[in-house]
Amino acid sequence: MNSWKKTFTVIWSGQLVSILSSAVVSYAVIFWMSLETESAEVLALAAIAGILPQSLLGPFVGIYIDRWDRKRTMILADTFIALCTLALSVLFWLDIAQMWHIYLLLACRSVGSAFHTPAMQASVPLLAPASQLTRIAGINQIITSVSDIAGPALGAFMLALTSIGNILLLDVAGAAVACISLLCIRIPNPERQPDRQHDLRKEFREGLAAMHAVPGMGSFFALAIAVWFFIMPVGVLFPLMTLQHFGGGAYEMSLVEIVWGGGALLGGAIMGARTYRVSRIVLINLMYLMVGLSFLLSGLLPASGFALFTVFTAAAGISSSVFNASFISVVQTRIEAGVLGRVLSLYRSFGLLPSAIGLLGAGFLAERIGLTTTFVLSGSIICLIGAAAFRMPAVMRLDAKEQKSE
């Protein structure tokens, strides 16, 4: 087995345990909050608490990721998340936990993820050949998808067995496994200029400049961020669509989540199975069209069309996996390793801001123009963005240079 494969086997083992335990805890917390409050507003605030810190910190986090040792950064981020989760668990044991404590925990977890995720993504090109980046991103997507499928079921099962305070300990154990796996490998850092005096504003500008240094890359990022802006409002409306338009219940809502996760798992498996001789830009643009069509057609379905709704949901799940694997590998291939942390953090920040806006605006849209109209409108705009992407020569040429074989 090649050395890079051995390294990623260790990383993936730790990440699978960590991501799965986090998914179980996250869904258990959501279910617990739903049972305790039965408030959509509480769930929306919880989601915002988990998104906003990453979005606000993104422009600054990347600077430090490119400065610091990336392995140490990931270990410290996981340790911080574990300690925060342990503190909340203690509050539940003492029976003094308040709802704002949960919001605070979700915000702290978001801060840790703001450092961990881009540090991990920025480390991949330093560990594996460029020809394997899409494949690695696909396998990472499989791990996330498995967790998305198993998380809801295991979260509900654990909540029936024990208290939420005990369930939180799963996240602590998962973080410990991830840290141990990272301690077992060596992650090189990109070359730095030791004599250089650090200037935060200058390094921030360098990250922004790197996003536009390659012709077409700025438009490439802008297209993805625009698509996320229209995906997020629809994403938070899936449960309401299932309940109100299709007349479903708890079973149907969980089925839609599992179908999405299953589609994402299939997409990750396709991308992780082998290296394909096809333009990743073409794949990304096609995925825009597929997601847009799935939303558009879902909005046109009658109340009796729940079965087709699940089919369109699965197609959107597949598309999200193929898009994520292709997008990240293009960025990892075309952006210099020394600024990759800043670029990925900026993209993550700019991409998450629409999430918060979508969460705040989803209810307004649904009440003003209706659920189905929101699906049709968002899907149509995403399709237009995907079609426009094919008309941008600079974007289409981003993956024109054939990657060298391993």
Side-chain angles (χ1 to χ4, degrees):
M1 184 183 292
N2 295 339
S3 59
W4 72 267
K5 292 181 181 179
K6 293 179 181 177
T7 298
F8 275 97
T9 299
V10 175
I11 291 174
W12 285 325
S13 299
Q15 290 300 303
L16 176 59
V17 174
S18 178
I19 294 173
L20 178 57
S21 63
S22 290
V24 172
V25 170
S26 296
Y27 280 106
V29 169
I30 290 171
F31 295 154
W32 181 85
M33 294 174 75
S34 300
L35 292 170
E36 289 291 315
T37 68
E38 297 184 1
S39 169
E41 184 182 60
V42 166
L43 295 179
L45 287 173
I48 291 171
I51 289 172
L52 204 55
Q54 294 185 59
S55 179
L56 297 177
L57 288 173
F60 312 102
V61 165
I63 296 171
Y64 293 102
I65 289 172
D66 286 332
R67 283 187 191 180
W68 297 341
D69 182 278
R70 289 176 180 174
K71 173 178 167 179
R72 189 177 303 164
T73 299
M74 287 185 278
I75 291 174
L76 289 174
D78 279 336
T79 302
F80 173 73
I81 292 172
L83 290 175
C84 293
T85 306
L86 181 60
L88 181 62
S89 183
V90 171
L91 293 178
F92 272 106
W93 293 339
L94 296 175
D95 199 26
I96 58 174
Q98 302 289 327
M99 200 60 66
W100 69 268
H101 292 140
I102 298 178
Y103 295 148
L104 182 61
L105 168 69
L106 294 172
C108 290
R109 285 167 61 99
S110 182
V111 170
S113 296
F115 283 89
H116 184 282
T117 301
M120 176 64 78
Q121 292 174 340
S123 299
V124 172
L126 301 168
L127 295 169
S131 62
Q132 300 298 321
L133 295 182
T134 304
R135 188 179 179 190
I136 290 169
I139 296 173
N140 286 334
Q141 195 63 48
I142 291 175
I143 293 173
T144 302
S145 301
V146 167
S147 301
D148 288 342
I149 294 171
L154 291 175
F157 177 70
M158 292 297 296
L159 201 57
L161 284 182
T162 186
S163 68
I164 188 67
N166 291 332
I167 295 172
L168 289 170
L169 293 180
L170 286 175
D171 208 14
V172 179
V177 171
C179 290
I180 292 170
S181 68
L182 287 170
L183 288 171
C184 295
I185 63 170
R186 177 183 175 273
I187 299 178
N189 288 304
E191 293 183 6
R192 301 182 179 92
Q193 299 177 6
D195 297 331
R196 174 180 173 182
Q197 291 186 346
H198 294 302
D199 183 331
L200 287 178
R201 287 179 295 181
K202 183 177 180 181
E203 292 183 51
F204 175 75
R205 289 195 298 268
E206 286 176 353
L208 282 176
M211 297 180 78
H212 299 84
V214 179
M217 188 62 77
S219 298
F220 181 64
F221 280 113
L223 287 166
I225 292 168
V227 168
W228 280 119
F229 182 83
F230 291 101
I231 283 178
M232 291 304 173
V234 176
V236 297
L237 294 176
F238 267 69
L240 285 178
M241 187 75 161
T242 303
L243 288 171
Q244 297 181 8
H245 182 65
F246 295 110
Y251 169 77
E252 285 78 12
M253 282 194 297
S254 61
L255 178 62
V256 168
E257 294 294 332
I258 291 171
V259 166
W260 174 280
L265 177 62
L266 177 59
I270 292 170
M271 299 305 292
R274 56 185 292 266
T275 301
Y276 300 97
R277 298 180 65 84
V278 60
S279 169
R280 291 171 292 185
I281 303 300
V282 170
L283 278 179
I284 290 167
N285 294 347
L286 287 174
M287 294 310 102
Y288 292 155
L289 294 175
M290 187 177 290
V291 170
L293 282 173
S294 72
F295 286 178
L296 193 159
L297 294 175
S298 293
L300 296 175
L301 288 173
S304 59
F306 179 74
L308 277 176
F309 180 56
T310 61
V311 172
F312 296 147
T313 300
I318 294 172
S319 303
S320 69
S321 244
V322 174
F323 163 79
N324 284 328
S326 303
F327 185 92
I328 291 298
S329 65
V330 168
V331 175
Q332 289 170 336
T333 303
R334 302 307 301 268
I335 300 294
E336 181 187 347
V339 295
L340 189 55
R342 275 165 280 179
V343 170
L344 288 171
S345 291
L346 285 169
Y347 167 68
R348 188 172 177 81
S349 178
F350 296 153
L352 284 174
L353 271 175
S355 303
I357 296 171
L359 286 165
L360 291 172
F364 174 82
L365 284 172
E367 290 177 7
R368 295 286 180 172
I369 65 175
L371 279 170
T372 55
T373 305
T374 302
F375 269 73
V376 171
L377 180 62
S378 297
S380 300
I381 294 173
I382 293 169
C383 285
L384 289 174
I385 294 172
F390 279 106
R391 305 286 295 177
M392 298 182 177
V395 173
M396 295 301 297
R397 285 194 293 268
L398 280 174
D399 202 33
K401 185 177 180 180
E402 194 175 72
Q403 303 299 323
K404 295 180 181 179
S405 300
E406 179 186 351

